[in-house]
């Protein structure tokens, strides 16, 4: 399933996962959400140092596939003619788990964004470690316009990324913003020319991939887990991670390479 609804390939140190429903503007259904963890398992190899997530066709993702929302959650009518709420809650929990799996993989994940990036599509992009957006991209969470709220990590990740005030403004107005405004508020890391988003994501991914992979992975975990903790607990995570990294071959290699003024050859152990 993952090979059809997602395009997966590995080229050297980089892995690519492409949303592959271009005829639907990569609208996300349950099958795609279930395929994401499978794809991550496939590319989670020692030789892969970074992952690029992108969309095939004219958009990164139009968001939730409303046909899927109705069919996969029982929203067409559960017991008594209303939605099947237990089934709907299972769907949301599975969706959250899928994006959590993307966020927690101990490799850098770069989102290469273009076209429309809305709703669940933006929630997916926010689960990446960094986002590169092509000029002309439109980003936002329009859920309140139809009487819903972002429920797959949207409120949490957006708030952590752009802050309380910006997050409230974007969610409560349902406003779609351009790539330049998204960069200004920190929603995306960089804006590039139309069609250059994947190449720019590759450049950033390779810059991260040249560093010690275990250190990069633990740095990612410290930042993600430590955000919101008190300062002393956050710093304790740094101490615990550092004490384990001091024992790795990569630290010895990095120190030797620095002393010898050469590029290090990290092995991920």
């Amino acid at each position: 399933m993952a090979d059809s609804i997602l395009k997966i390939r590995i080229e050297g140190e980089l892995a690519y996962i492409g949303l592959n429903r271009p005829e639907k503007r990569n609208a996300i259904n349950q099958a795609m959400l279930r395929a994401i963890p499978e794809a991550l398992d496939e590319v989670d190899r020692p030789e892969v140092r970074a992952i690029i997530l992108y969309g095939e066709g004219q958009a990164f993702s139009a968001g939730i596939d409303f046909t899927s929302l109705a069919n996969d959650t029982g929203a067409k009518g559960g017991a008594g003619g209303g939605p099947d709420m237990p089934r709907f809650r299972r769907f949301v929990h599975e969706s959250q788990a899928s994006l959590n799996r993307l966020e927690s993989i101990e490799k850098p994940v770069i989102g290469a964004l273009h076209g429309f990036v809305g709703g669940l599509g933006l929630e997916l992009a926010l689960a990446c470690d960094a986002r590169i957006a092509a000029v002309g991209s439109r980003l936002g969470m329009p859920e309140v316009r139809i009487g819903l709220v972002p429920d797959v990590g949207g409120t949490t990740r957006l708030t952590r990324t752009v802050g309380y005030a910006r997050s409230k403004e974007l969610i409560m107005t349902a406003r779609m913003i351009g790539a330049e405004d998204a960069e200004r508020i920190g929603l995306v890391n960089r804006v590039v020319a139309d069609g250059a988003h994947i190449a720019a994501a590759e450049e950033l991914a390779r810059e991260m991939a040249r560093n010690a992979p275990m250190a990069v992975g633990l740095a990612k975990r410290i930042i993600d887990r430590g955000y919101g903790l008190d300062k002393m607990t956050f710093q304790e995570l740094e101490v615990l991670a550092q004490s384990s990294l001091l024992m790795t071959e990569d630290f010895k290699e990095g120190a030797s390479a620095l002393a010898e003024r050469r590029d290090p050859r990290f092995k991920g152990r």
Side-chain angles (χ1 to χ4, degrees):
M1 176 62 72
D3 287 335
S4 58
I5 205 162
L6 299 176
K7 280 191 175 180
I8 305 164
R9 72 181 194 276
I10 296 173
E11 295 182 4
E13 63 189 2
L14 301 184
Y16 298 79
I17 299 176
L19 310 183
N20 192 33
R21 300 185 76 207
E23 74 286 356
K24 298 287 188 179
R25 294 201 302 164
N26 296 317
I28 300 170
N29 58 13
Q30 190 174 49
M32 183 179 286
L33 287 164
R34 288 177 173 173
I36 289 172
E38 297 175 13
L40 293 169
D41 288 342
E42 184 173 336
V43 304
D44 194 5
R45 308 177 185 181
E47 65 270 22
V48 171
R49 300 292 177 86
I51 300 167
I52 294 172
L53 181 69
Y54 70 98
E56 293 284 346
Q58 298 302 308
F60 176 75
S61 175
I64 187 72
D65 184 329
F66 282 98
T67 300
S68 170
L69 183 65
N71 294 337
D72 297 335
T73 69
K76 285 184 174 180
D84 184 339
M85 296 312 297
R87 185 176 171 186
F88 174 78
R89 285 191 287 269
R90 287 196 301 272
F91 173 82
V92 174
H93 287 149
E94 287 182 7
S95 303
Q96 291 173 340
S98 178
L99 269 60
N100 289 343
R101 173 73 176 94
L102 178 66
E103 183 180 55
S104 64
I105 190 169
E106 289 188 22
K107 299 179 188 294
V109 181
I110 313 301
L113 313 180
H114 76 296
F116 194 87
V117 189
L120 183 52
L122 181 54
E123 290 180 302
L124 177 60
L126 283 165
C128 299
D129 299 302
R131 287 156 293 281
I132 305 295
V135 167
S137 299
R138 302 288 295 173
L139 302 90
M141 291 186 178
E143 283 87 347
V144 298
R145 191 172 293 160
I146 59 170
L148 299 174
V149 296
D151 61 354
V152 189
T155 55
T156 53
R157 291 192 179 96
L158 186 63
T159 301
R160 288 164 65 121
T161 302
V162 303
Y164 283 92
R166 297 290 191 189
S167 180
K168 287 179 179 179
E169 181 179 353
L170 285 173
I171 291 174
M172 294 165 69
T173 63
R175 184 185 303 148
M176 300 296 294
I177 62 174
E180 293 83 358
D181 284 339
E183 182 182 30
R184 178 175 55 81
I185 66 173
L187 181 54
V188 302
N189 298 69
R190 190 177 311 158
V191 177
V192 297
D194 184 32
H197 53 295
I198 293 180
E202 290 172 339
E203 181 181 357
L204 179 57
R206 289 196 175 97
E207 187 175 356
M208 294 179 177
R210 73 187 183 193
N211 297 308
M214 292 177 66
V216 170
L218 281 178
K220 171 178 174 172
R221 291 196 66 178
I222 291 169
I223 294 167
D224 286 342
R225 296 290 186 179
Y227 185 91
L229 295 177
D230 65 277
K231 183 183 72 172
M232 300 307 294
T233 304
F234 203 159
Q235 290 181 342
E236 188 64 20
L237 295 179
E238 297 174 341
V239 172
L240 293 172
Q242 198 76 306
S243 62
S244 63
L245 290 170
L246 281 169
M247 307 302 292
T248 63
E249 292 182 25
D250 278 354
F251 168 64
K252 295 176 184 176
E253 167 62 14
S256 296
L258 181 63
E260 298 165 11
R261 298 188 178 183
R262 60 173 173 81
D263 291 333
R265 296 181 291 272
F266 294 121
K267 298 179 180 178
R269 55 176 188 259

